[in-house]
Amino acid sequence: AGLDPSKGDIYVTVDVQPSVLRLPPSPKQAIIMSGLGTGMAPFRAFVQERKYQKEMGIEVGPIVLYFGARHRHEEWLYGDEWDAYAAEGLVTRLGLAFSRDQKEKVYIQNKIVEDKALLGDLLGKENGFFYLCGPTWPVPAIATAISQALNPEAAARGEVDASQVEKLKQEGRYILEVY
């Protein structure tokens, strides 16, 4: 890049954006987190905070984590830690999608569709929060999967009713930090 500090000061322009990712107002509210690759980083902090709250005697809501990457053995970031959280019951559901570890590709939106009844309850009846952090490319497929979870009748007819996802957005319960 031709940067040589011996020839004088080097200036770099940086644009810092505040994060949109915040835990729900009540620790009892469910959090459904979807991360791809390094998009998992903020969710680790979320779970650590919920663990601390639980240790302090505060009742915490369900924690659902979806993680997607190509290969488990290469990209399951903090995998032992996540597995331990699941084993102790803090993380109530791990939806892992390693797209290249089997013949058929599996993505997090597939795991979300598998859990549509659970997510319909957590996002619909229990006012949970849905978070996605990572690249932008899966956003449409994930929004469709969430729509199917929130309106299974439309999904059974082969329709996608995006109004429930729009409602979650308006309520601040569908939060994306994508790049």
Side-chain angles (χ1 to χ4, degrees):
L3 302 177
D4 185 353
S6 67
K7 295 182 180 178
D9 291 340
I10 297 173
Y11 296 94
V12 178
T13 302
V14 177
D15 186 20
V16 177
Q17 299 287 329
S19 176
V20 297
L21 299 175
R22 304 271 186 276
L23 281 167
S26 169
K28 293 180 184 177
Q29 287 177 283
I31 54 175
I32 298 99
M33 305 168 293
S34 297
L36 289 100
T38 57
M40 289 291 285
F43 301 142
R44 187 171 179 233
F46 277 16
V47 175
Q48 289 170 344
E49 176 65 16
R50 285 281 173 99
K51 181 175 177 68
Y52 173 77
Q53 290 171 329
K54 189 173 182 179
E55 289 170 349
M56 294 295 105
I58 299 169
E59 184 181 344
V60 299
I63 299 171
V64 176
L65 176 71
Y66 296 99
F67 176 73
R70 288 183 183 95
H71 301 284
R72 181 183 186 109
H73 71 279
E74 293 175 2
E75 301 170 278
W76 183 209
L77 306 173
Y78 302 102
D80 292 341
E81 185 176 336
W82 294 114
D83 292 338
Y85 288 142
E88 73 182 68
L90 182 64
V91 171
T92 52
R93 170 77 174 110
L94 278 178
L96 305 178
F98 298 102
S99 62
R100 306 303 192 277
D101 281 354
Q102 62 283 314
K103 188 176 183 178
E104 305 250 342
K105 291 183 181 175
V106 177
Y107 299 103
I108 59 173
Q109 56 267 29
N110 303 117
K111 296 298 181 177
I112 289 169
V113 169
E114 286 176 13
D115 293 342
K116 61 186 172 201
L118 171 66
L119 297 184
D121 285 343
L122 295 179
L123 291 171
K125 297 174 187 167
E126 296 189 30
N127 292 318
F129 279 57
F130 180 86
Y131 302 88
L132 172 63
C133 188
T136 58
W137 65 263
V139 171
I142 290 171
T144 297
I146 295 296
S147 295
Q148 292 172 343
L150 292 171
N151 192 338
E153 295 83 17
R157 295 188 306 269
E159 301 169 5
V160 176
D161 176 8
S163 66
Q164 294 299 313
V165 171
E166 287 303 316
K167 181 180 177 205
L168 289 176
K169 286 180 188 176
Q170 291 170 359
E171 294 172 352
R173 297 190 299 120
Y174 181 85
I175 301 144
L176 307 179
E177 185 154 299
V178 294
Y179 37 86

